[in-house]
C-alpha cells in the first residue's frame, strides 16, 4: 500500500511540475540531405591499405593527444581558481584596525596578523614542583588539560580582548589592547595576570599554598624574515625583527630587577613549524637550582638542535603567584608615539577600562539587554558567549588537499587565506562551511564589516567549478589536529549553503552595501549554479546530497556528512533515487537571496525568482516530500527500518593459539528495502518550517507545531531533540565506536532556526499565529535557561545537550553556533 501511495505522489509531483512549467511541442530538427556523389579516383586513393593504416595511426595519435590534454584539463579543474575578481583585497592596509588580532583560536592565548605566513606570538605555562602530576605545559586548547574553564569575557573584534583561564592551582587573566599608528597595524600590549585559585571552603579551612608557575611568552616566524634577541646580562629584554608584512618591529619584555623572587630564562631555537613549538620547548628544558634544595625547570639559552639563526624565541618567567607580566609590541612604521605614554601599567589599565566601557555600551545598543529583565550574571554570560564567538575568529593560510573523480591521488590547491570563526577552540579550531553561516548570524549583528570580510574570504576559495571545500584545514597547525581520514576534500561533496543566512540578514536589516553585493554576486552565482548542476535529484524539483557510502557494512545508516547532520537517519540504502528535503529547502532560501541581490545591483533576477517560486510551491513540496503515513515532511529513497548492528561469530579457537580479537559490529538487514519515505520525525522533517517555506495558512504548519510540542516526539524542557523518541534509530549507535550524534541530542543551531521560525509565524497573519507565539516563548525560555545553568555548573557552553538531563555533551567550549544563545536572549533574529 505504501508503495502505491509513493507512486501516486510521484505522478502528482510530475503533473504539478508540468503545469508549473507549461508544455510546448518539441520539433525534430530537419536533417540536411547528404551529397552521395563521390569522386572515384579519390575513393580509390583513400581505400589504399597503406594510406588507410597511416590515416588510422594519425587519427589515433591525434585522439590520444587530445584526450591527454582533456584529461589533464579535467584533473586540474579541482585546483583551478574561479576566474572572477576576488572579493577581498589581499592587502595589509585594507583593514588596518583588524590587522593584528587574537587570530590563533587553537591556542589559549596567541596573536598574529591577517597576512600570509604571519609571525605569531603566544603563551605557554606550567606549574613548578608537581612531581605527582608530572610536567604539563599548557599551550594549545585541549579538553584533556581538564581546565575548570577558559574563555573571553569581553572582546570587540578590533581593539581589545579580556580572557579568564582557570587552571588547577591558578587563574590567568590574559588581555591585550591595540593602539593604532603607522602603516603596519600599529602597536599592542599583552598583559598576563596570574593569581592563586581560591576554592570554596568552610570556616577554619586553609587555602593551599600559592603555586609557583612559569610563564613562557614567545615569538615565532612562519616563513621569511628574521628575529634577534636583545640580552641584558643573562636576561632577555626584547626581540627585534623584520618581516615583509610588518616591516621593522620590536617586542619588549618588562622586567622587575627589584623583585628577587623572579627568575628569568630565555630560549633561542629553530622550530620545524608552528605545530612544533611546544616540542621545541620540551627539548630545551633543564633543571636549575632553586631555594631550599629544590630544582626548578626552565628553558636553557640555545637549542642544540637549532639553526644559528633562530625563528623561535622564548622569554620565561618563574615566580610564585600572584604576578603580572606585560609585553609590548612596537611597529617600526609608527613614528607618533613620542608624545604619548607607553601602553603599560596604569596607562594600559586605563585604556582597557575605556574599551570595556565602550564594549558594554555597544552591547546594550545592539542587544537591548536592560529592557529584557536579565540580571548582571546573565548579562555577563551573554557577553561571554558573544566574546568567545568574536575571540574565536582566526586567520589561516595554506592549501587544502582536494580530489576529484579524475585524480587518482589528492592534490593541494593553491595556497589561500581564510578569515573565519571556528566552532570550538579545543576540538574544531578551523573553518567549517556550514557552521560559518550560523556564526555570522551573531557576528553580523555585532559588526557587519567583520561578517562581510568573512563571507568574502570564504567566497574567494571557489574553484572554477563553483565548489568550496566544506572543511578548511589550512597550514601546519590546523592539519596537525585533524585525523587523516578527514583531511582530503572531495569536489562532489557539498555542505549546506548557510552563508545565505547572514547575507539574508544583511539585505533585510542593514543599509545595502551595493559595492559588497556587486563583488560577491559573480562568486555567489557560481556557487549557486554548482549546487544546481551537481546536487540535483533524478526527479524535477528534487535534490540529493552526495558523499554517502553505499557499500559500507559498518554503519547502521550510512552517514550524510555533507548535509552537516552526519548520522541523522536517511534512506538505509544510498542510491541515486534519493531526494533530500533539507537540501531542497536550502536551495529555496538561496534562490530568494540571489534574486534580491540581482535586483539590488541591476542584474536580471528572473531565473532566480522563478526557481524560488518553484521550490517554495507548497503543492509540489507536499507531492515530493510529504509522507501521509508519517504525517511529516520526509526524505525519500531505498529504505528499510529493519536493520541493526550485530557481532559476527568469532572463528573457532585453534589449540595453543591466543583468542582472536573480537570482531567489530556489522550491519544486518532483515527486511528487503523498498522505495519509500524515510519515516522519522526530527530536524530534517522540520526544514520547510525552519526556513519559513510553509505558508502561514497551511494545515501542515499546525501539524508541525503539534510535533514540536509533543514530548514523545521532539519536545523536552531543555530544547527540541534532534530525532523523535518514536524513531527506530533514536539514540542508536551508528557504529560500534560512534555514539548517537544527531539522533536525540539537542543542537542549538537547529533550535535557533526553530525559534526564529516560530517568531515569524507568530507575527504574520494566519490561523496558527497564537499557537506559534505560545510555543515560541516556552521553547526560547527552556533553551536559554538550560544553556545558562550548564554554563554556571561547568564553566562552558557545549556542542550539544542531552535530551533527558539537559547536561552539556561533546566538545567544549563550543562557542560557534551554540553562542547564538546571545541572540535568543535578545529576541533578535
Amino acid at each position: 500500500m505504501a508503495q502505491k501511495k509513493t507512486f501516486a505522489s510521484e505522478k502528482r509531483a510530475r503533473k504539478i511540475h508540468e503545469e508549473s512549467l507549461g508544455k510546448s511541442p518539441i520539433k525534430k530538427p530537419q536533417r540536411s540531405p547528404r551529397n552521395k556523389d563521390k569522386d572515384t579516383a579519390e575513393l580509390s586513393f583513400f581505400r589504399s591499405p597503406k594510406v588507410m593504416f597511416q590515416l588510422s595511426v594519425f587519427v589515433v595519435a591525434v585522439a590520444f593527444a587530445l584526450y591527454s590534454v582533456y584529461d589533464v584539463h579535467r584533473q586540474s579543474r579541482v585546483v583551478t581558481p574561479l576566474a572572477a575578481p576576488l572579493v577581498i583585497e589581499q592587502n595589509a592596509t585594507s583593514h588596518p584596525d583588524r590587522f593584528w588580532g587574537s587570530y590563533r583560536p587553537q591556542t589559549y592565548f596567541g596573536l598574529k596578523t591577517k597576512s600570509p605566513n604571519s609571525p605569531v606570538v603566544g603563551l605557554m605555562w606550567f606549574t613548578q614542583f608537581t612531581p605527582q602530576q608530572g610536567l604539563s605545559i599548557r599551550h594549545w586548547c585541549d579538553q584533556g588539560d581538564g581546565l575548570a574553564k577558559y574563555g573571553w569575557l569581553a572582546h570587540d573584534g578590533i581593539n581589545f580582548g579580556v580572557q579568564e583561564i582557570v587552571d588547577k592551582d591558578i587563574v590567568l587573566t590574559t588581555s591585550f589592547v591595540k593602539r593604532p599608528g603607522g602603516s603596519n597595524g600599529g602597536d599592542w600590549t599583552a598583559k598576563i595576570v596570574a593569581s592563586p585559585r581560591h576554592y570554596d571552603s568552610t570556616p577554619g579551612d586553609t587555602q593551599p599554598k600559592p603555586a609557583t608557575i612559569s610563564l613562557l611568552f614567545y615569538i615565532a616566524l612562519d616563513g621569511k624574515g628574521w628575529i634577534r634577541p636583545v640580552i641584558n646580562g643573562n636576561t632577555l629584554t626584547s626581540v627585534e625583527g623584520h618581516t615583509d608584512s610588518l616591516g621593522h618591529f620590536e617586542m619588549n619584555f618588562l622586567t622587575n630587577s627589584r623583585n628577587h623572587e623572579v627568575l628569568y630564562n630565555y630560549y633561542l631555537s629553530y622550530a620545524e613549524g608552528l605545530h612544533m613549538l611546544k616540542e621545541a620547548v620540551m627539548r630545551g628544558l633543564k633543571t636549575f637550582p632553586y631555594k631550599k634544595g629544590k630544582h626548578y625547570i626552565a628553558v636553557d639559552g640555545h637549542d642544540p638542535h637549532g639553526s644559528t639563526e633562530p625563528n623561535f624565541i622564548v622569554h620565561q618567567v618563574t615566580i610564585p603567584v600572584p604576578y603580572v607580566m606585560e609585553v609590548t609590541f612596537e611597529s617600526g612604521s609608527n613614528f607618533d608615539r613620542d608624545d604619548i605614554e607607553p601602553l603599560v601599567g596604569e596607562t594600559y589599565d586605563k585604556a582597557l577600562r575605556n574599551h570595556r566601557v565602550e564594549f558594554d555600551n555597544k552591547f546594550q545598543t545592539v542587544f537591548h539587554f536592560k529592557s529584557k529583565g536579565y540580571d548582571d550574571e546573565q548579562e555577563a554570560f551573554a557577553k561571554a558567549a558573544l566574546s568567545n564567538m568574536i575571540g574565536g575568529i582566526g586567520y589561516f593560510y595554506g592549501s587544502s588537499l582536494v580530489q576529484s573523480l579524475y585524480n587518482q591521488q589528492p592534490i593541494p590547491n593553491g595556497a589561500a587565506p581564510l578569515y573565519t570563526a571556528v566552532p570550538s577552540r579545543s576540538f574544531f579550531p578551523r573553518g567549517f562551511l556550514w557552521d560559518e553561516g550560523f556564526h555570522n548570524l551573531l557576528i553580523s549583528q555585532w559588526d557587519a564589516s567583520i561578517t562581510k570580510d568573512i563571507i568574502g574570504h570564504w567566497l574567494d576559495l571557489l574553484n572554477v567549478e563553483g565548489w568550496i571545500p566544506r572543511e578548511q584545514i589550512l597550514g601546519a597547525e590546523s592539519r596537525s589536529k585533524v585525523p587523516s581520514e578527514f583531511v582530503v576534500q572531495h569536489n562532489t561533496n557539498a555542505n549546506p549553503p548557510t552563508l545565505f543566512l547572514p547575507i539574508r540578514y544583511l539585505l533585510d536589516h542593514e543599509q545595502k552595501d551595493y559595492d559588497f553585493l556587486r563583488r560577491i554576486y559573480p562568486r555567489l552565482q557560481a556557487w549557486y549554479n554548482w549546487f544546481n548542476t551537481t546536487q540535483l535529484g533524478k526527479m524535477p524539483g528534487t535534490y540529493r546530497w552526495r558523499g554517502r557510502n553505499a557499500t559500507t557494512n559498518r554503519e547502521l545508516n550510512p552517514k550524510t556528512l555533507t548535509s552537516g547532520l552526519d548520522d541523522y537517519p536517511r534512506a538505509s540504502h544510498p542510491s541515486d533515487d534519493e531526494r533530500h528535503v533539507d537540501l531542497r529547502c536550502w536551495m529555496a532560501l538561496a534562490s530568494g537571496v540571489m534574486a534580491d541581490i540581482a535586483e539590488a545591483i541591476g542584474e536580471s533576477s528572473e531565473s532566480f525568482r522563478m526557481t524560488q517560486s518553484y521550490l517554495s510551491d507548497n503543492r509540489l513540496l507536499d507531492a515530493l516530500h510529504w509522507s501521509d503515513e508519517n504525517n511529516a515532511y520526509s526524505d525519500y529513497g531505498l529504505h528499510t527500518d529493519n536493520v541493526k548492528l550485530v557481532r559476527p561469530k568469532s572463528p573457532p579457537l585453534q589449540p595453543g593459539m591466543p583468542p582472536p580479537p573480537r570482531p567489530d559490529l556489522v550491519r544486518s538487514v532483515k527486511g528487503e528495502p523498498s522505495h519509500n519515505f524515510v519515516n522519522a520525525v526530527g530536524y530534517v522533517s522540520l526544514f520547510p518550517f525552519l526556513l519559513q517555506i510553509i505558508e502561514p495558512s497551511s494545515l501542515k504548519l499546525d501539524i508541525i507545531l503539534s510535533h514540536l510540542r509533543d514530548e514523545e516526539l521532539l519536545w523536552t524542557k531543555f530544547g527540541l531533540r534532534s530525532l523523535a523518541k518514536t524513531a527506530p534509530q533514536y539514540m542508536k549507535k551508528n557504529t560500534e565506536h560512534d555514539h548517537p550524534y544527531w539522533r536525540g541530542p539537542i543542537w542549538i543551531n537547529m533550535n535557533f532556526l526553530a525559534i526564529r521560525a516560530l517568531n515569524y509565524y507568530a507575527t504574520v497573519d494566519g490561523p496558527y499565529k497564537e499557537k506559534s507565539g505560545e510555543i515560541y516563548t516556552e521553547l526560547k525560555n527552556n533553551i536559554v535557561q538550560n544553556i545558562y545553568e550548564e554554563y554556571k555548573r561547568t564553566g562552558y557552553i557545549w556542542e550539544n545537550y542531552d535530551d533527558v538531563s539537559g547536561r552539556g555533551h561533546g566538545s567544549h567550549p563550543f562557542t560557534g553556533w551554540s553562542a547564538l544563545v546571545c541572540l535568543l536572549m535578545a529576541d533578535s533574529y
Side-chain angles (χ1 to χ4, degrees):
M1 181 65 70
Q3 190 81 2
K4 289 181 179 178
K5 286 183 179 179
T6 301
F7 291 147
S9 70
E10 287 190 7
K11 289 180 180 179
R12 187 166 69 254
R14 291 185 185 278
K15 183 177 180 181
I16 295 171
H17 170 70
E18 290 170 357
E19 289 174 356
S20 67
L21 296 180
K23 288 186 174 181
S24 58
I26 300 174
K27 295 182 179 180
K28 293 183 179 180
Q30 297 294 318
R31 292 178 175 269
S32 57
R34 300 179 65 184
N35 184 0
K36 297 181 180 179
D37 296 334
K38 302 291 183 181
D39 186 280
T40 305
E42 288 183 1
L43 276 175
S44 61
F45 173 78
F46 283 108
R47 287 173 178 167
S48 164
K50 181 178 180 181
V51 173
M52 290 290 288
F53 175 76
Q54 291 174 338
L55 282 173
S56 298
V57 170
F58 175 76
V59 169
V60 170
V62 170
F64 180 79
L66 290 174
Y67 179 79
S68 298
V69 172
Y70 173 62
D71 193 44
V72 170
H73 170 71
R74 290 192 306 177
Q75 292 181 42
S76 66
R77 283 177 64 79
V78 70
V79 295
T80 302
L82 181 70
L86 293 173
V87 179
I88 301 299
E89 299 177 51
Q90 303 304 329
N91 187 329
T93 60
S94 57
H95 291 288
D97 55 341
R98 296 205 304 271
F99 188 54
W100 274 103
S102 54
Y103 301 139
R104 302 181 67 209
Q106 69 274 24
T107 61
Y108 286 114
F109 182 71
L111 304 173
K112 67 181 292 188
T113 67
K114 279 177 60 182
S115 62
N117 307 116
S118 166
V120 302
V121 302
L123 176 71
M124 302 183 198
W125 77 90
F126 59 89
T127 302
Q128 297 280 355
F129 316 125
T130 57
Q132 296 85 5
Q133 301 174 17
L135 181 65
S136 181
I137 299 178
R138 315 297 200 201
H139 181 218
W140 281 358
C141 301
D142 191 331
Q143 292 176 190
D145 288 341
L147 300 191
K149 71 180 292 187
Y150 66 93
W152 296 99
L153 304 177
H155 197 308
D156 69 352
I158 297 177
N159 301 298
F160 85 105
V162 180
Q163 179 182 219
E164 183 180 61
I165 303 170
V166 182
D167 206 342
K168 290 180 173 61
D169 303 312
I170 60 170
V171 177
L172 297 180
T173 303
T174 66
S175 62
F176 70 93
V177 171
K178 290 158 57 178
R179 176 184 278 174
S183 57
N184 299 111
D187 304 339
W188 53 258
T189 296
K191 186 173 185 177
I192 296 91
V193 179
S195 308
R197 180 180 177 186
H198 296 291
Y199 292 86
D200 294 335
S201 59
T202 57
D205 289 348
T206 57
Q207 290 289 335
K209 185 179 179 181
T212 298
I213 65 167
S214 288
L215 302 173
L216 295 83
F217 202 96
Y218 65 81
I219 182 170
L221 298 178
D222 183 25
K224 296 180 180 179
W226 55 264
I227 49 175
R228 293 171 190 156
V230 177
I231 299 170
N232 186 2
N234 199 34
T235 302
L236 177 69
T237 58
S238 64
V239 174
E240 297 174 345
H242 180 276
T243 68
D244 290 342
S245 61
L246 285 173
H248 289 278
F249 60 85
E250 183 175 321
M251 193 166 76
N252 299 291
F253 306 104
L254 276 65
T255 58
N256 187 349
S257 59
R258 291 175 294 180
N259 188 341
H260 298 295
E261 289 195 279
V262 181
L263 298 171
Y264 296 106
N265 295 80
Y266 69 90
Y267 185 53
L268 314 179
S269 179
Y270 188 89
E272 292 81 1
L274 297 183
H275 61 299
M276 298 295 289
L277 298 183
K278 183 176 175 179
E279 286 73 12
V281 165
M282 292 290 288
R283 69 173 181 251
L285 293 175
K286 292 185 177 180
T287 58
F288 295 84
Y290 195 67
K291 52 191 176 184
K292 297 181 180 180
K294 292 182 178 180
H295 286 76
Y296 76 100
I297 300 170
V299 290
D300 181 34
H302 299 269
D303 181 357
H305 302 286
S307 166
T308 54
E309 292 292 329
N311 69 354
F312 178 42
I313 298 179
V314 181
H315 170 65
Q316 177 174 336
V317 178
T318 302
I319 185 71
V321 295
Y323 181 73
V324 177
M325 171 189 277
E326 289 184 304
V327 180
T328 66
F329 177 92
E330 296 182 344
S331 169
S333 66
N334 187 357
F335 303 106
D336 300 325
R337 69 174 69 90
D338 292 341
D339 298 329
I340 55 177
E341 292 290 326
L343 192 59
V344 296
E346 179 55 35
T347 302
Y348 176 91
D349 293 340
K350 181 179 179 181
L352 181 59
R353 285 194 299 270
N354 290 340
H355 282 307
R356 292 200 72 164
V357 169
E358 292 171 359
F359 173 85
D360 291 343
N361 291 338
K362 180 177 179 179
F363 188 87
Q364 291 302 329
T365 300
V366 173
F367 300 117
H368 310 288
F369 259 58
K370 293 300 183 188
S371 64
K372 304 294 181 182
Y374 294 113
D375 61 30
D376 291 343
E377 284 191 8
Q378 292 168 322
E379 186 173 321
F381 159 70
K383 289 176 180 176
L386 168 69
S387 297
N388 280 289
M389 173 76 82
I390 300 295
I393 294 174
Y395 186 86
F396 306 92
Y397 184 80
S399 299
S400 292
L401 275 179
V402 297
Q403 189 170 10
S404 76
L405 296 174
Y406 309 111
N407 303 105
Q408 293 184 354
Q409 298 294 329
I411 54 176
N413 61 9
L418 181 63
Y419 176 63
T420 184
V422 303
S424 170
R425 291 171 61 191
S426 62
F427 210 76
F428 302 110
R430 54 193 178 276
F432 286 79
L433 180 54
W434 102 287
D435 294 64
E436 200 56 28
F438 290 103
H439 297 165
N440 279 277
L441 287 171
L442 176 56
I443 295 171
S444 61
Q445 295 201 32
W446 176 252
D447 190 329
S449 67
I450 294 178
T451 286
K452 293 171 189 176
D453 203 357
I454 288 173
I455 290 173
H457 273 87
W458 273 99
L459 293 178
D460 282 346
L461 297 174
L462 279 161
N463 74 355
V464 69
E465 299 162 319
W467 171 67
I468 304 175
R470 68 185 187 88
E471 187 172 347
Q472 293 296 319
I473 309 165
L474 307 179
E477 278 191 292
S478 294
R479 194 162 295 173
S480 65
K481 297 202 71 171
V482 181
S484 58
E485 62 265 31
F486 297 114
V487 170
V488 179
Q489 306 292 301
H490 297 270
N491 73 332
T492 53
N493 295 350
N495 223 197
T498 58
L499 294 182
F500 285 104
L501 289 171
I503 296 173
R504 172 83 277 159
Y505 177 85
L506 294 175
L507 287 169
D508 293 343
H509 297 88
E510 295 285 327
Q511 183 175 352
K512 287 185 175 61
D513 183 343
Y514 293 101
D515 178 61
F516 172 70
L517 295 177
R518 289 189 186 95
R519 283 185 286 124
I520 67 173
Y521 179 74
R523 291 183 169 271
L524 275 180
Q525 188 175 27
W527 192 34
Y528 175 85
N529 289 340
W530 179 84
F531 273 94
N532 274 315
T533 53
T534 68
Q535 306 298 302
L536 293 175
K538 288 178 70 173
M539 282 189 65
T542 65
Y543 291 84
R544 175 174 65 88
W545 298 110
R546 270 48 169 186
R548 303 190 70 206
N549 186 345
T551 61
T552 180
N553 69 342
R554 300 288 181 179
E555 298 181 64
L556 183 65
N557 187 276
K559 290 191 293 291
T560 315
L561 296 172
T562 48
S563 73
L565 303 178
D566 295 14
D567 66 345
Y568 188 96
R570 308 280 182 164
S572 60
H573 291 65
S575 71
D576 292 350
D577 295 315
E578 285 186 85
R579 43 188 195 248
H580 295 133
V581 64
D582 52 335
L583 180 51
R584 190 180 195 279
C585 295
W586 284 121
M587 294 312 297
L589 167 73
S591 300
V593 173
M594 290 301 301
D596 287 351
I597 294 175
E599 290 170 4
I601 63 175
E603 297 285 343
S604 173
S605 64
E606 183 179 3
S607 63
F608 300 126
R609 195 65 76 194
M610 287 179 62
T611 305
Q612 179 196 17
S613 177
Y614 178 69
L615 295 178
S616 301
D617 186 321
N618 281 206
R619 290 190 310 149
L620 182 56
L621 173 66
D622 293 351
L624 291 169
H625 286 288
W626 183 262
S627 167
D628 290 326
E629 179 184 348
N630 199 38
N631 216 19
Y633 289 106
S634 304
D635 285 343
Y636 175 91
L638 188 60
H639 181 69
T640 176
D641 286 327
N642 200 355
V643 296
K644 63 179 181 177
L645 294 175
V646 299
R647 194 176 306 282
K649 291 183 178 180
S650 298
L653 184 62
Q654 300 298 320
M657 298 296 291
R662 191 171 68 158
D664 286 342
L665 295 173
V666 297
R667 184 169 83 157
S668 172
V669 182
K670 299 297 184 182
E672 195 67 28
S674 62
H675 286 92
N676 214 325
F677 288 113
V678 182
N679 288 321
V681 173
Y683 288 165
V684 164
S685 63
L686 296 181
F687 258 86
F689 160 76
L690 296 177
L691 297 183
Q692 302 164 30
I693 295 169
I694 301 176
E695 295 170 359
S697 59
S698 171
L699 289 172
K700 305 270 189 316
L701 176 59
D702 187 36
I703 294 171
I704 288 175
L705 293 175
S706 298
H707 285 173
L708 295 184
R709 196 57 189 82
D710 189 333
E711 294 184 8
E712 287 302 306
L713 295 178
L714 302 178
W715 188 266
T716 80
K717 59 184 179 180
F718 314 112
L720 300 176
R721 59 171 63 92
S722 46
L723 188 63
K725 291 168 67 175
T726 57
Q729 295 184 24
Y730 169 71
M731 292 307 291
K732 296 281 182 66
K733 286 186 175 183
N734 200 46
T735 72
E736 184 165 10
H737 310 290
D738 290 341
H739 290 281
Y741 204 44
W742 293 86
R743 296 183 179 178
I746 296 163
W747 292 81
I748 305 308
N749 62 330
M750 293 291 105
N751 274 269
F752 177 86
L753 289 183
I755 292 172
R756 189 185 74 150
L758 287 166
N759 180 69
Y760 167 74
Y761 289 111
T763 53
V764 298
D765 290 334
Y768 313 111
K769 181 175 183 177
E770 183 177 346
K771 186 176 183 179
S772 298
E774 291 171 355
I775 299 175
Y776 165 83
T777 300
E778 191 175 4
L779 179 59
K780 187 201 76 167
N781 290 342
N782 286 350
I783 293 170
V784 169
Q785 185 67 18
N786 187 62
I787 297 175
Y788 174 61
E789 291 297 333
E790 280 298 280
Y791 178 78
K792 287 201 303 181
R793 185 181 72 85
T794 67
Y796 293 105
I797 293 175
W798 292 77
E799 183 178 9
N800 56 62
Y801 294 85
D802 187 83
D803 67 320
V804 176
S805 67
R807 297 214 158 189
H809 284 172
S811 62
H812 57 280
F814 195 92
T815 44
W817 60 45
S818 293
L820 291 171
V821 65
C822 180
L823 292 184
L824 296 179
M825 296 173 76
D827 297 300
S828 185
Y829 311 106

